[in-house]
Amino acid sequence: PRLRLSPAWELLSTNRSVLFFGHRGFLGFRSLYLDEYRDRLFIGGKDVLYSLLLDRANTDAKEIYWPPLPGQTEECFQKGKDPGTDCANYIRVLHPYNRTHLLACGTGAFHPICAFIYVGHRGEHTFSLDPASVDPGRGRCPHEPSGAFASTLIGGELYTGLTADFLGRDPGIFRSMGTRSALRTEVDQHLLNDPKFVAAHMIPDNDDRDNDKAYFFFTEKVVEADSKEHTIVSRVVRVCVNDAGGQRVLVNKWSTFNKARLVCSVPGPGGIDTYFDELEDIFLLRTKDGKSPEIYALFSTTSHVFQGSAVCVYRMADIREVFNGPFAHRESPHHHWGAYEGRVPYPRPGVVSSSLELWYSTTKDFPDEVLHFARAHPLMYKPVYARHRRPLLVMTDLPHRLRQLVVDRVEAEDGQHDVLFLGTDAGSVLKVVVLQKTSSSTTEEIVLEELQVFKVPVPITQMEISVKRQMLYVGSSLGVAQVQLHQCETYGTACAECCLARDPYCTWDGSACTRYQPSSKRRYRRQDTRHSNPAHQCLDQNLTGERLGVDDFESTEKKVLYGAENNSTFLECVPRSPQASVQWFVQRPPDEQRDEVKTDDRILQTEQGLLFRKLHRHDAGIYYCKTLEHGFTQTVAKTALEVIASEQLAHTFPRERWDEPSRLPCPEPRLVPQAPKAWFKDIMHLISSHNLQRVEEYCTRLWCGSRPYHRKSKLAQDKHALAGVDVGKKGRTAKPHSERSRVPRQAVAT
Ligand SMILES: *[C@@H]1O[C@H](CO)[C@@H](O)[C@H](O)[C@H]1NC(C)=O
Ligand SMILES: *[C@@H]1O[C@H](CO)[C@@H](O)[C@H](O)[C@H]1NC(C)=O
Ligand SMILES: *[C@@H]1O[C@H](CO)[C@@H](O)[C@H](O)[C@H]1NC(C)=O
Ligand SMILES: *[C@@H]1O[C@H](CO)[C@@H](O)[C@H](O)[C@H]1NC(C)=O
Ligand SMILES: *[C@@H]1O[C@H](CO)[C@@H](O)[C@H](O)[C@H]1NC(C)=O
C-alpha cells in the first residue's frame, strides 16, 4: 500500500502542534478524553493537562501544570528511578466525573495522586484544578509512567485494572471512590497471574441498573498441568457493579469475579488452529441496543515462528452464555481442567440481581458456601469464541505490529461497511475495510490508506474516533494528532478512480469524488465497495471512451526521459491504487505497434516502475505504463525514452566531471559559474515543461555565457549534457507526485 504523510500535519498549524507537545518541550502523552458535548479535547501528559477547543485549538488552548507532590520527586529518585523519565506526574486517568468536573489521576513520581478538574458547563472554556481535591491515588492510578492499565468510571465509582505498588507486584481489579467501601481482588495467582490490562467497560444486562456488569479485558499467564512453561492467554473478566463483597468471607473483595478465555484463532488443516493470544486492544462498537455492543478485539501472535495480527469480533450473547455456563474445576494443580459437574450453590456466584429473593439483595447476605465456591471457581470452563469462529481480519505480512483499533460503521452506497483504523507501533495508521463476499462466508480486506501520522516511528498508544466530526484522534508519546476519517478528493478526479478506491466513505457525485451523503440525489452517486466495477458504474459519466481504457494511449501526457547507453535508467510508474496490476508497453520507432515490454535480467519490473540495468540503443521508444483493476485499464504514465549513445557522451564529457568548464560544447567557452544545486532545480523545471526549445536556450546560456547560441544539431548534445548532470547526482528518493517521472535518474541496480 501507498504510504503518505498524514494530512494531520497540515491541518495542525505549527503553533497547534507545538501546543500539542506542550511548552516544556515534551508532552509525554498518556491519556485522552474527547468531550463531544463541550467540543473539547482533554489531554493528559507529563506534569501537564491540556484543554483544547476543537474548532479553535490554535488560539484557544488552556493548560494546567500539575507536578508531583513536594518531596516525591526526590524520594522517587532516591529509590533508584530515573528522575528524567520516571519521577514525574504522568496523567494516566482522565474521565468525566459529573456535569462540571473531570477526574484526573497521575503517577505522581511513583506516588499516585488524583484530583478533580473544573471544566465548567457547555460553552464556557474554564479549566482549573481544585488543589483541595488532591488525594492519594493508590489503586486508582498505576505507579509506572507507562505499561498495561485499564480504567472506567461508572456512577461516580472508578474501576481500575492495574498493579498498585511501587515494585509492580500487586496486580488487581479495584473499585474506589463513591460512597460504598472500596473493593479489590484477592492477591491470588488463580485470579490474576501477571495480568496486562487492556480495557474496562460497563455493559448493562438490561434496563435494571442493579444488573449492570463491568468487564475487564486483559492477558495473563497460565501454566498447564503437564508443563512447567507458561503461555499467554487473553481473558475477559466480569464483575457485578453492585457487588459489595462478603460479610465474613471475601470482606472488601469481589464476590462476583468470573473470568473466561477469549479465543481468536484461524482454523487450520487437520484441526490445528493458529491462535492469536496476545490481546492488544478492544473497541466497543455501540449499537442502538445498549446492552449488546459488538466487541472488536485486536490480537497478535505470541509465536516466535510467525508474526501476525488478527481482529476478532465477539457478541455479548456469546460472552453471557459462557458466564452462565459451567465453571472450570480441577482436583489439584496436577490435574487438567474439566467442567464442574457438582451442585452449584444458590445464589449462583457471579449474579447479583434485584430479581433474587429479598434476603439476597446484597452480596453481604450471601451464604458463606456461595462465597467459598466463588473463591474456588473464578474461571469459566468454556472459552468465548469469536463470531463465525474465525477472525474478521488477519494480517501476517506487515512490517509493524498493530497496537490500537478503532472501528467505524459506515453507511455507504451499497450498504453498511465496517472500516477499521489500526494504529501501528511505527507511528502509522492503516485504514482497512473488510468486505463480506456475498457468495461465500469468506471476507476480503482492502487497505484503503496507510497514514504516517507521526514522522518518527513511535507506537500509537491511543485512538479516539469522533463520528460527529468525522475525525480520528491519534496519540503517541510525541503528542496527539487529528486525522480526517476520509479524504475522498485525493482519490482522483475521475469517476472510475473514485470507484476503484472502494472507500465506503466516498462516492462519485457527478463531478467529483466526495463524501457519501445518504440524503443526496441518487442519480449521480456512484460507488460499489464490494465489486467496484467502474465499467458498470461510470458508463453514463461521460468517461466511456477515454477513461474506461479502450484507448487512452494518445491522450496521456508524455514525458521525455534521457538515458545514457550502457548505464542504468528507471521509468517510474506508481499505480494510484495498491490493488492494481501494472503492464508496460513499448512503441519503438519506426513501428507503430505497441508491444508488451519483455522483462529479463536486464529489464526488471518493480513495484515502482521499470528498471533498465544497462540501457541499449534499441531500448529507445515510447513506454506506456498501464494499470489494470477490476477490468478497468488506465494509462498512468507515458514516457519517451531517448538513449544517448556512449560515443556521443564520451564526446561531450571525455572522462571529465560534468562541471569541468573547459570541455563544454561552446564555440567560445565563457562560463558563468553556477551553484550545482540551483542548476539542477532549474533543469528539472525546464524538462518538466517539455519545452525543448527553452531547454536548449537555457543550456546554451548556461554553458556558453549569456549570449543565446543556436545551432541545428545542438539540441542532441545539450540533452547529453542534461543526462550527464543528472546521472550520478540523484538517488532514488521519494518525491511528491508532481515531480515524478520527469527527470532522468540513476537507479540503484539491485
Ligand atoms: C504562532 O503564534 C505566534 C504568536 O503566538 C504568531 O506570531 C505566529 O504567526 C504563529 N505562527 C503560525 C504558523 O501560526
Ligand atoms: C462535581 O464533583 C465535584 C467534586 O466532587 C463537586 O465539587 C461538584 O460540586 C460536583 N458538581 C456537580 C454539578 O455535581
Ligand atoms: C460529455 O462529453 C461531451 C464531449 O466530450 C461534452 O460535450 C459534454 O458536455 C459532456 N457531458 C457532461 C455531462 O460532462
Ligand atoms: C557499451 O556497450 C557496448 C556493448 O556492450 C560496447 O560495445 C561499448 O563499447 C560500450 N560503451 C561504453 C562507453 O562502455
Ligand atoms: C554511468 O553511471 C555512473 C554512475 O553509476 C557514472 O559515473 C557514469 O559517468 C555514467 N556513464 C555515462 C556514460 O553516463
Side-chain angles (χ1 to χ4, degrees):
R2 289 162 297 170
L3 191 78
R4 55 189 177 81
L5 204 59
S6 157
W9 293 105
E10 287 138 46
L11 278 171
L12 304 172
S13 73
T14 319
N15 282 4
R16 181 158 162 189
S17 49
V18 166
L19 184 96
F20 268 40
F21 293 110
H23 292 169
R24 277 157 280 278
F26 182 60
L27 172 94
F29 166 79
R30 287 300 184 279
S31 51
L32 181 70
Y33 168 53
L34 176 66
D35 191 334
E36 301 254 27
Y37 174 71
R38 290 186 178 81
D39 285 331
R40 279 158 81 177
L41 191 64
F42 298 101
I43 299 172
K46 180 186 179 186
D47 294 333
V48 66
L49 278 155
Y50 297 98
S51 165
L52 308 180
L53 271 180
L54 285 171
D55 292 323
R56 286 174 289 140
N58 291 356
T59 51
D60 226 337
K62 291 193 160 50
E63 64 174 75
I64 295 170
Y65 178 56
W66 189 23
L69 293 178
Q72 289 305 327
T73 308
E74 293 73 17
E75 197 179 316
C76 172
F77 173 52
Q78 280 156 17
K79 284 181 180 168
K81 299 288 180 187
D82 184 333
T85 57
D86 296 336
C87 301
N89 188 29
Y90 289 92
I91 288 96
R92 302 197 63 187
V93 174
L94 209 48
H95 292 297
Y97 179 68
N98 60 19
R99 290 177 58 191
T100 50
H101 285 74
L102 303 183
L103 171 72
C105 301
T107 58
F110 280 80
H111 185 89
I113 41 177
C114 292
F116 289 110
I117 312 293
Y118 180 63
V119 293
H121 293 277
R122 188 180 186 168
E124 301 172 46
H125 190 192
T126 50
F127 195 52
S128 62
L129 185 147
D130 176 5
S133 72
V134 177
D135 227 11
R138 185 169 182 171
R140 293 198 267 165
C141 182
H143 286 59
E144 309 82 29
S146 51
F149 160 65
S151 73
T152 185
L153 200 115
I154 306 168
E157 292 177 308
L158 185 67
Y159 291 70
T160 51
L162 49 79
T163 50
D165 66 337
F166 186 87
L167 295 171
R169 288 183 190 158
D170 180 23
I173 290 177
F174 298 79
R175 185 181 75 198
S176 56
M177 303 176 57
T179 50
R180 298 184 288 176
S181 58
L183 281 190
R184 61 160 299 167
T185 42
E186 285 189 294
V187 181
D188 179 352
Q189 288 201 343
H190 292 117
L191 297 180
L192 298 168
N193 187 4
D194 196 6
K196 304 249 178 310
F197 291 97
V198 171
H201 293 283
M202 195 279 279
I203 303 169
D205 269 0
N206 46 43
D207 293 335
D208 187 349
R209 290 281 76 81
D210 276 347
N211 292 338
D212 287 355
K213 310 271 191 298
Y215 293 83
F216 283 83
F217 299 87
F218 64 102
T219 62
E220 69 172 343
K221 288 180 182 168
V222 293
V223 183
E224 295 302 332
D226 46 9
S227 111
K228 290 217 159 36
E229 287 180 24
H230 70 259
T231 51
I232 301 285
V233 295
S234 295
R235 299 267 194 226
V236 53
V237 151
R238 186 175 87 168
V239 291
C240 292
V241 163
N242 67 357
D243 193 335
Q247 190 75 339
R248 289 169 298 275
V249 187
L250 293 177
V251 179
N252 293 336
K253 303 285 174 352
W254 296 104
S255 67
T256 57
F257 179 103
N258 287 146
K259 65 178 179 181
R261 180 169 177 187
L262 277 180
V263 173
C264 183
S265 65
V266 181
I272 299 169
D273 294 359
T274 303
Y275 284 88
F276 294 83
D277 281 322
E278 183 112 41
L279 184 64
E280 300 275 359
D281 196 20
I282 289 279
F283 182 82
L284 249 63
L285 190 69
R286 302 267 180 192
T287 55
K288 280 203 193 90
D289 171 12
K291 61 185 192 296
S292 306
E294 286 174 43
I295 296 169
Y296 285 74
L298 172 66
F299 295 88
S300 15
T301 52
T302 49
S303 157
H304 299 292
V305 184
F306 98 107
Q307 290 293 312
S309 298
V311 174
C312 276
V313 187
Y314 299 93
R315 298 185 311 167
M316 280 312 296
D318 295 336
I319 293 179
R320 292 193 182 104
E321 195 181 305
V322 167
F323 283 117
N324 293 337
F327 293 95
H329 179 80
R330 62 179 173 184
E331 290 305 318
S332 80
H334 306 292
H335 287 74
H336 282 279
W337 289 103
Y340 180 76
E341 280 163 354
R343 189 187 69 88
V344 176
Y346 181 83
R348 182 188 158 96
V351 178
V352 188
S353 149
S354 51
S355 62
L356 290 174
E357 277 122 88
L358 231 96
W359 46 89
Y360 294 140
S361 64
T362 152
T363 54
K364 290 203 175 179
D365 301 333
F366 281 15
D368 288 356
E369 184 200 9
V370 170
L371 300 178
H372 284 300
F373 183 89
R375 187 187 215 172
H377 298 92
L379 180 65
M380 306 316 297
Y381 177 61
K382 286 185 182 161
V384 182
Y385 290 104
R387 195 174 67 195
H388 308 312
R389 287 225 179 189
R390 59 167 68 241
L392 174 70
L393 170 73
V394 176
M395 300 184 106
T396 51
D397 49 359
L398 294 173
H400 314 302
R401 199 168 159 141
L402 301 178
R403 295 285 187 190
Q404 290 284 311
L405 166 70
V406 155
V407 182
D408 192 16
R409 185 153 289 173
V410 183
E411 199 68 47
E413 184 79 32
D414 58 341
Q416 274 186 343
H417 293 285
D418 285 353
V419 178
L420 276 54
F421 294 89
L422 297 155
T424 70
D425 61 1
S428 57
V429 172
L430 303 182
K431 174 174 162 186
V432 180
V433 64
V434 181
L435 303 173
Q436 212 75 42
K437 292 235 174 98
T438 37
S439 50
S440 63
S441 65
T442 56
T443 57
E444 178 195 2
E445 64 256 13
I446 306 171
V447 177
L448 298 170
E449 292 182 272
E450 183 174 352
L451 298 158
Q452 189 66 44
V453 178
F454 295 97
K455 289 173 184 167
V456 185
V458 286
I460 306 285
T461 53
Q462 197 172 348
M463 294 202 303
E464 294 289 334
I465 187 171
S466 168
V467 174
K468 178 178 155 190
R469 306 184 151 265
Q470 297 283 291
M471 290 288 181
L472 189 69
Y473 297 92
V474 184
S476 77
S477 60
L478 294 181
V480 181
Q482 172 181 270
V483 179
Q484 285 172 279
L485 297 183
H486 44 80
Q487 279 193 293
C488 301
E489 64 285 0
T490 60
Y491 290 130
T493 51
C495 175
E497 291 169 323
C498 190
C499 292
L500 284 173
R502 298 174 81 178
D503 190 325
Y505 287 108
C506 306
T507 192
W508 182 255
D509 70 357
S511 57
C513 198
T514 53
R515 171 78 171 112
Y516 168 76
Q517 303 288 352
S519 56
S520 67
K521 278 208 202 98
R522 197 178 167 89
R523 191 152 60 95
Y524 294 115
R525 292 196 318 243
R526 294 292 185 280
Q527 179 62 293
D528 182 348
T529 312
R530 269 178 232 288
H531 311 292
S532 86
N533 186 343
H536 293 146
Q537 291 157 52
C538 302
L539 268 178
D540 57 342
Q541 292 295 305
N542 223 6
L543 300 164
T544 326
E546 185 193 326
R547 283 290 179 179
L548 287 181
V550 179
D551 188 0
D552 60 353
F553 283 122
E554 293 315 320
S555 57
T556 309
E557 197 187 6
K558 187 169 83 179
K559 286 151 193 163
V560 185
L561 182 76
Y562 304 96
E565 189 184 2
N566 294 352
N567 240 344
S568 60
T569 198
F570 188 74
L571 306 192
E572 192 170 19
C573 173
V574 182
R576 294 216 177 100
S577 155
Q579 277 82 35
S581 65
V582 173
Q583 246 183 327
W584 282 91
F585 294 88
V586 60
Q587 181 184 5
R588 290 192 190 87
D591 246 22
E592 278 310 302
Q593 185 128 349
R594 289 181 197 105
D595 302 313
E596 195 171 345
V597 173
K598 289 190 189 66
T599 53
D600 50 27
D601 284 354
R602 190 174 66 83
I603 307 176
L604 298 171
Q605 189 174 330
T606 74
E607 264 178 40
Q608 308 292 318
L610 201 60
L611 172 69
F612 294 81
R613 284 181 156 160
K614 188 178 184 191
L615 206 55
H616 288 177
R617 270 171 222 215
H618 64 252
D619 289 328
I622 302 176
Y623 286 79
Y624 299 87
C625 167
K626 292 209 107 179
T627 62
L628 174 71
E629 187 183 5
H630 290 273
F632 171 69
T633 64
Q634 192 183 16
T635 303
V636 179
K638 178 175 168 186
T639 312
L641 176 65
E642 302 205 1
V643 181
I644 297 145
S646 32
E647 314 75 87
Q648 282 177 282
L649 264 178
H651 194 245
T652 316
F653 296 114
R655 271 191 249 107
E656 300 291 346
R657 285 179 44 210
W658 61 273
D659 53 354
E660 198 70 34
S662 58
R663 308 290 178 143
L664 288 162
C666 302
E668 304 162 62
R670 268 179 35 218
L671 225 108
V672 187
Q674 293 266 341
K677 206 140 199 171
W679 279 35
F680 184 63
K681 253 192 170 158
D682 285 346
I683 289 169
M684 266 165 53
H685 176 74
L686 285 168
I687 291 177
S688 67
S689 72
H690 313 292
N691 189 336
L692 288 177
Q693 181 65 35
R694 280 187 56 211
V695 177
E696 184 182 9
E697 284 172 14
Y698 176 84
C699 294
T700 314
R701 219 169 44 237
L702 195 65
W703 277 299
C704 312
S706 49
R707 277 178 303 131
Y709 181 79
H710 293 283
R711 198 174 64 185
K712 273 206 182 89
S713 63
K714 185 65 181 32
L715 182 58
Q717 288 178 344
D718 284 330
K719 284 180 202 162
H720 317 164
L722 292 180
V725 167
D726 195 58
V727 164
K729 282 293 289 177
K730 273 208 67 61
R732 289 260 311 116
T733 48
K735 307 167 98 268
H737 280 285
S738 56
E739 282 184 18
R740 277 195 177 139
S741 315
R742 296 212 168 142
V743 286
R745 50 174 90 231
Q746 166 76 28
V748 183
T750 40

